[in-house]
Amino acid sequence: MKKVFAVLGDPVSHSLSPVMHNAAFNALGLECEYLAFRVGKERLGDAIRGAAALGFGGLNLTIPLKEKALEVVDADAMAEKIGAVNTVDFSGGIRGYNTDGLGAMRALAERGVGLRDAEVVLAGAGGAARGIAFHLVKAGARVTIVNRTEDRAASLAAELHVKSAVLSKLPGLLEKAGVLINSTSVGMTPNIEETIATSDMMHPGLTVFDIVYNPVDTKLLREARKAGAAVIDGVKMLVYQGAESFRIWTGKTPPVDIMEAAVRRRLG
Ligand SMILES: NC(=O)c1ccc[n+]([C@@H]2O[C@H](COP(=O)([O-])OP(=O)(O)OC[C@H]3O[C@@H](n4cnc5c(N)ncnc54)[C@H](OP(=O)(O)O)[C@@H]3O)[C@@H](O)[C@H]2O)c1
């Protein structure tokens, strides 16, 4: 009998996780199937415990369930700190993990971006930014969090003992930065002509990582290329966070190239 995995969220029909994980299961010849279920916050406990009772292999959680899941699962220390769970594993109870930040770290490492003592500007203070910020600090980066709503940046920065600023301070901050990570939703479809920074604010020594993956080639990345900066797109993080979930569930090495190709094909 096939082992079932799923992503829960609301909305969830746009999720790329089924295409990515089914490609991985097929490539490894595993008798598994990955589905998507629309679940609201009020039924999350029932859904997670139901999946456990039905013998599911594991779950991913997306908006708006990641924070609420902490009330239901036994979360590991990093997911507790981040305050959000995106991966649930049923092999020893109902365990919760957050692989978003790990995915971002792997995307940077793959491109040879060293984080120890690096000046990193992290734009955004929402859910994705939290996941990334804790890992950046753990990796020894000198982080400045910038956000449109300054209070949110300040409060996340206070938790991590790092600096913060309002988003409009970005031009000055980029002059001495080595890495810019966009974890805001600026530039995401349908607002594809929006960007948090233009080429005149960037320099060739900068690496610009945009976690927005729809569209893949965002205005921010195009501006970065114009300035001669190195670029990393959001598909990398998406694939690597999924790969970490896959590893947790199966204990197997995920076929990341196949997962990435499946996602890029779907995104066009
Ligand atoms: N590649 C991946 O694997 C991956 C994973 C997770 C998320 N993402 C992408 O990351 C983005 C953020 O996701 P999230 O879950 O963190 O969302 P979220 O919790 O809603 O946070 C949104 C962030 O974007 C900022 N923002 C929104 N509109 C803005 C605007 N017009 N100008 C300036 N700042 C603006 C918000 O600032 P305020 O605080 O001022 O509202 C906040 O910091 C989304 O595009 C999502 O698709 C990608």
Side-chain angles (χ1 to χ4, degrees), residues 36 56 93 105 110 128 154:
F56 277 36
M105 294 304 105
E110 180 194 62

Side-chain angles (χ1 to χ4, degrees), residues 86 98-110 131-132 135 209 211 232-245:
N86 78 333
N98 190 313
T99 66
D100 280 336
L102 279 177
M105 294 304 105
R106 183 160 170 197
L108 289 163
E110 180 194 62
I132 296 171
H135 282 277
F209 176 17
I211 77 161
I232 305 173
D233 69 39
V235 173
K236 289 286 181 187
M237 172 171 164
L238 182 71
V239 169
Y240 290 144
Q241 62 78 27
E244 289 305 323
S245 301

Side-chain angles (χ1 to χ4, degrees), residues 125-208:
R130 283 188 70 85
I132 296 171
F134 279 89
H135 282 277
L136 287 172
V137 169
K138 194 174 166 204
R142 295 201 201 117
V143 181
T144 305
I145 297 167
V146 296
N147 196 45
R148 174 179 65 179
T149 309
E150 195 172 3
D151 286 358
R152 286 187 86 193
S155 123
L156 176 56
E159 275 184 63
L160 288 158
H161 309 289
V162 300
K163 290 175 279 182
S164 68
V166 66
L167 186 61
S168 57
K169 293 270 166 44
L170 197 53
L173 290 167
L174 288 184
E175 279 172 25
K176 49 182 187 346
V179 181
L180 167 65
I181 303 174
N182 176 41
S183 59
T184 74
S185 44
V186 175
M188 190 171 90
T189 302
N191 303 312
I192 60 171
E193 284 310 315
E194 289 180 3
T195 177
I196 56 161
T198 47
S199 60
D200 52 304
M201 293 158 58
M202 305 186 221
H203 56 85
L206 189 68
T207 296
V208 178

Side-chain angles (χ1 to χ4, degrees), residues 8 38-50 65 68 72:
L8 313 183
R38 188 167 169 197
V39 174
K41 274 189 195 172
E42 68 292 347
R43 302 304 301 273
L44 181 63
D46 292 341
I48 292 178
R49 286 186 286 269
L65 309 176
K68 179 83 180 164
V72 183

Side-chain angles (χ1 to χ4, degrees), residues 21-92:
H21 285 291
N22 283 324
F25 290 141
N26 287 338
L28 297 189
L30 300 176
E31 282 280 297
C32 299
E33 182 158 10
Y34 192 108
L35 304 168
F37 294 103
R38 188 167 169 197
V39 174
K41 274 189 195 172
E42 68 292 347
R43 302 304 301 273
L44 181 63
D46 292 341
I48 292 178
R49 286 186 286 269
L54 290 168
F56 277 36
L59 297 171
N60 283 127
L61 304 176
T62 185
I63 289 171
L65 309 176
K66 292 183 185 185
E67 293 81 13
K68 179 83 180 164
L70 284 168
E71 296 169 18
V72 183
V73 307
D74 177 15
D76 80 345
M78 190 48 117
E80 280 283 358
K81 266 196 222 170
I82 293 168
V85 167
N86 78 333
T87 303
V88 180
D89 181 50
F90 298 120
S91 50

